[in-house]
Amino acid sequence: MKKPTQKPAQKTPAKPAGKSMKKAQNKTLKAETGRPMRKATEKLWSGRFNEATSADVEAFTESISFDQRLWRHDIQGSIAHARMLAAQRIITAKEAEAIIRGLDNIAADIRSGDFFFSRNLEDIHMNIESNLTARIGDPGKKLHTARSRNDQVALDLRLYLRDEIQSILSLIQRLEGTLISIAEQHDTVIMPGYTHLQRAQPVLLAHHLLAYVAMLDRDRDRFTDCLRRMDVLPLGACALSGTSLPTDRALVAKQLGFRAIALNSIDAVSDRDFAVEFLASSAIVIMHLSRFAEELVLWSTEEFRFIEISDRFTTGSSIMPQKKNPDVAELIRGKTGRVYGNLISLLTLMKGLPLAYNRDMQEDKLPVFDTADTVNACLAIMNGMLPAITFNAARMKATAGEGYSTATDLAEYLVKKGIPFREAHSITGRIVFHCIQNKAGLETLELSVLQSFSPVIAKDIYRVLDPSTSVSARTSYGGTSPAEVKRQIRYYRKLLKIK
Ligand code: ARG
């Protein structure tokens, strides 16, 4: 997948800091004037402080261990910001060039693993900015003009989520396509439809699978909708109230491809609705995946024997040699828990926070990252597993007719003969009761026995009680008849532009 390979932040550099880091330290030390030298990595906000931060506080407040994965988006935002500063003559074109070149070099170092993320520098924003100044000198100190980490982090998270949502959207779409092609390959397979996990009425397997396509399609809608509201530029709000410098937020929005600019600077830095919406949409899609995963687990039991999941997507037991377990499906079902937890975690984090930025909000990233990773992984593995499933059509068909699953067809037969539905329901119920007592199936009763319950029943009833007839007869819009199921397939093929 498209995930960058990122090194975790290290408490101590695994190898001596690369040349860029050594340069950084020297520059920082040289830049010191008048004040006692404290640390190689001087804080960017150290001016009003006399004492060094306690090491415990540094460890407690850092976010670089997890927000370093925002580096691409942080650099992307900084480049757009620098270009705007130059266009507005807040910095010179030469300074902007130096900044952009420096940021490009930082990106190259991070990509190749040659960048040392320092915990003393708290977060990704200050790690990059201070490294930039160490590399290019004075122009680096101008990058943070007319911006704050508050609008910067809001920007980074939006840019990050924009990418993640694009990836999730295409994975959902692929999964829909996979389900549709499985439905088409098995378009005549009949299975029992369930309510309360009791056999209810025969349905087409394709119909059942398409129910998941319907869910996934709503999920795509939700993420698209979430993306639209997220696609608003917060940068330029600065700490909370804007700036007296002549910035051009539209120019930044244009460079970063945002469709709009946050109208209220206080809202821009305190809003995390977009992240909550992302987690909520994720919670719903993973709920859908968990329902499907549960069915795959059930269907592959010896009790059901509806499917067999390929060896490539199952695992064995360390003690029971005969076992073949559906662990992938179980883990998808299981991971739903943390995705729900992440949603509740962010909602709770944001609850009651006064405006504008509060450091609490630093904790927004862990649930967001974890959810994005989990949902991407679950969608991808589900997509890999599904084509590797074999369906036991004979077993599905055999069980589809059991459990009086065509009782509703009998009741509807009586309705067609002019009997009010309530009465028809009651007559059929009595016939089913008779069958249970006599250990018979509806279709095995003699016509005379059936007629003793209702004289309108004729010989044509036996065709009605056949599961295939039952399925074909359900021609109401959206029903399980082959024609209606084909209509659904046509609808989604067109929608998803599948040829
Ligand atoms: N690391 C911080 C976060 O993730 C960045 C913003 C810090 N802003 C501040 N005023 N301390 O939220």
Side-chain angles (χ1 to χ4, degrees):
M1 269 186 344
K2 71 278 95 19
K3 288 282 147 49
T5 43
Q6 276 150 358
K7 298 212 160 170
Q10 293 152 330
K11 290 214 176 79
T12 49
K15 54 180 172 183
K19 54 182 180 329
S20 53
M21 187 56 203
K22 264 187 236 125
K23 243 190 276 162
Q25 289 177 341
N26 294 341
K27 283 269 169 62
T28 315
L29 294 178
K30 257 190 258 152
E32 284 290 333
T33 47
R35 292 170 62 82
M37 215 157 53
R38 289 200 295 258
K39 285 231 171 88
T41 44
E42 179 70 63
K43 302 264 188 286
L44 295 176
W45 40 254
S46 64
R48 69 101 55 238
F49 291 80
N50 251 322
E51 276 187 278
T53 320
S54 126
D56 289 344
V57 169
E58 279 178 346
F60 186 70
T61 57
E62 66 85 27
S63 56
I64 190 63
S65 56
F66 51 90
D67 68 12
Q68 58 177 270
R69 66 189 287 173
L70 291 174
W71 68 268
R72 284 167 199 276
H73 303 103
D74 197 72
I75 288 176
Q76 186 190 1
S78 288
I79 290 177
H81 183 65
R83 288 214 169 99
M84 180 278 289
L85 291 176
Q88 295 301 101
R89 304 199 193 296
I90 299 169
I91 63 174
T92 66
K94 268 187 88 168
E95 286 166 336
E97 264 168 46
I99 289 172
I100 292 163
R101 207 175 321 114
L103 289 170
D104 282 340
N105 290 336
I106 290 176
D109 280 358
I110 296 178
R111 221 173 280 125
S112 62
D114 289 333
F115 189 93
F116 174 65
F117 292 105
S118 160
R119 202 174 67 177
N120 299 344
L121 289 168
E122 224 176 280
D123 56 24
I124 186 63
H125 325 294
M126 295 202 291
N127 265 271
I128 289 178
E129 190 195 326
S130 95
N131 188 285
L132 177 71
T133 301
R135 276 171 203 251
I136 68 167
D138 284 345
K141 296 183 191 165
K142 296 196 173 180
L143 173 61
H144 211 54
T145 312
R147 110 180 156 177
S148 136
R149 274 185 301 152
N150 300 349
D151 54 346
Q152 196 180 350
V153 73
L155 170 68
D156 292 5
L157 201 55
R158 282 176 194 252
L159 289 173
Y160 162 83
L161 276 175
R162 255 185 6 182
D163 286 353
E164 291 299 321
I165 291 177
Q166 291 299 354
S167 148
I168 288 173
L169 280 172
S170 65
L171 283 170
I172 295 177
Q173 184 158 350
R174 252 177 50 203
L175 190 54
E176 286 180 72
T178 302
L179 284 164
I180 289 167
S181 70
I182 296 174
E184 283 182 314
Q185 285 158 31
H186 301 88
D187 61 351
T188 56
V189 175
I190 294 175
M191 66 175 280
Y194 293 86
T195 65
H196 312 269
L197 208 53
Q198 310 274 326
R199 281 175 210 151
Q201 291 169 348
V203 295
L204 284 182
L205 168 64
H207 191 205
H208 190 101
L209 295 176
L210 286 166
Y212 285 103
V213 175
M215 295 177 225
L216 290 168
D217 214 62
R218 287 193 297 274
D219 289 320
R220 236 162 28 92
D221 236 31
R222 261 184 289 273
F223 278 110
T224 306
D225 192 47
C226 163
L227 186 59
R228 194 188 63 80
R229 259 188 303 280
M230 186 178 301
D231 199 13
V232 174
L233 174 82
L235 202 73
C238 303
L240 75 163
S241 66
T243 177
S244 63
L245 294 161
T247 52
D248 180 357
R249 298 186 66 199
L251 183 55
V252 180
K254 193 167 161 226
Q255 290 181 73
L256 296 172
F258 281 104
R259 67 167 183 89
I261 303 167
L263 182 61
N264 181 311
S265 64
I266 298 177
D267 179 51
V269 286
S270 39
D271 168 39
R272 291 294 183 273
D273 294 2
F274 63 93
V276 174
E277 282 189 43
F278 169 74
L279 296 184
S281 307
S282 298
I284 298 176
V285 71
I286 198 94
M287 168 188 71
H288 294 150
L289 294 187
S290 83
R291 294 181 74 172
F292 195 25
E294 166 65 12
E295 297 205 311
L296 297 180
V297 172
L298 272 176
W299 291 356
S300 55
T301 58
E302 196 45 38
E303 287 72 6
F304 271 81
R305 279 190 285 118
F306 282 3
I307 60 168
E308 179 162 0
I309 306 175
S310 107
D311 283 5
R312 289 183 296 122
F313 287 91
T314 45
T315 55
S317 157
S318 60
I319 172 169
M320 298 167 284
Q322 83 283 13
K323 296 276 284 176
K324 175 168 158 178
N325 296 325
D327 292 28
V328 172
E330 288 173 329
L331 274 169
I332 293 173
R333 192 177 59 185
K335 282 174 190 291
T336 304
R338 63 205 267 177
V339 174
Y340 288 2
N342 290 338
L343 168 63
I344 298 302
S345 156
L346 186 60
L347 283 170
T348 312
L349 176 72
M350 295 307 293
K351 174 187 174 296
L353 278 192
L355 303 183
Y357 177 83
N358 302 271
R359 190 62 178 269
D360 314 43
M361 288 155 80
Q362 178 167 292
E363 293 279 309
D364 60 358
K365 281 168 275 305
L366 289 161
V368 166
F369 294 159
D370 184 61
T371 294
D373 292 346
T374 305
V375 170
N376 270 298
C378 289
L379 285 166
I381 198 91
M382 185 65 110
N383 217 343
M385 179 167 60
L386 290 185
I389 287 178
T390 41
F391 291 87
N392 186 346
R395 167 81 179 159
M396 285 183 159
K397 172 91 192 275
T399 50
E402 292 170 8
Y404 314 104
S405 65
T406 50
T408 314
D409 297 276
L410 173 50
E412 288 182 359
Y413 172 88
L414 296 173
V415 166
K416 284 172 203 157
K417 302 262 170 170
I419 297 176
F421 179 72
R422 252 321 132 224
E423 241 173 79
H425 186 289
S426 162
I427 292 167
T428 309
R430 275 180 271 133
I431 297 176
V432 168
F433 185 73
H434 173 88
C435 285
I436 294 168
Q437 292 209 307
N438 294 282
K439 298 200 184 354
L442 289 172
E443 69 289 348
T444 62
L445 294 181
E446 297 277 348
L447 186 60
S448 57
V449 177
L450 286 165
Q451 282 169 339
S452 71
F453 289 93
S454 170
V456 305
I457 299 177
K459 218 166 72 223
D460 58 351
I461 188 62
Y462 293 106
R463 224 179 84 76
V464 170
L465 294 175
D466 181 73
S468 304
T469 319
S470 163
V471 162
S472 304
R474 294 217 152 26
T475 53
S476 57
Y477 186 89
T480 205
S481 73
E484 280 304 312
V485 170
K486 282 210 176 75
R487 180 210 300 283
Q488 296 174 40
I489 291 177
R490 269 200 311 278
Y491 172 84
Y492 287 115
R493 286 186 82 95
K494 195 165 163 212
L495 188 76
L496 298 165
K497 301 194 176 69
I498 303 171
K499 261 145 237 131

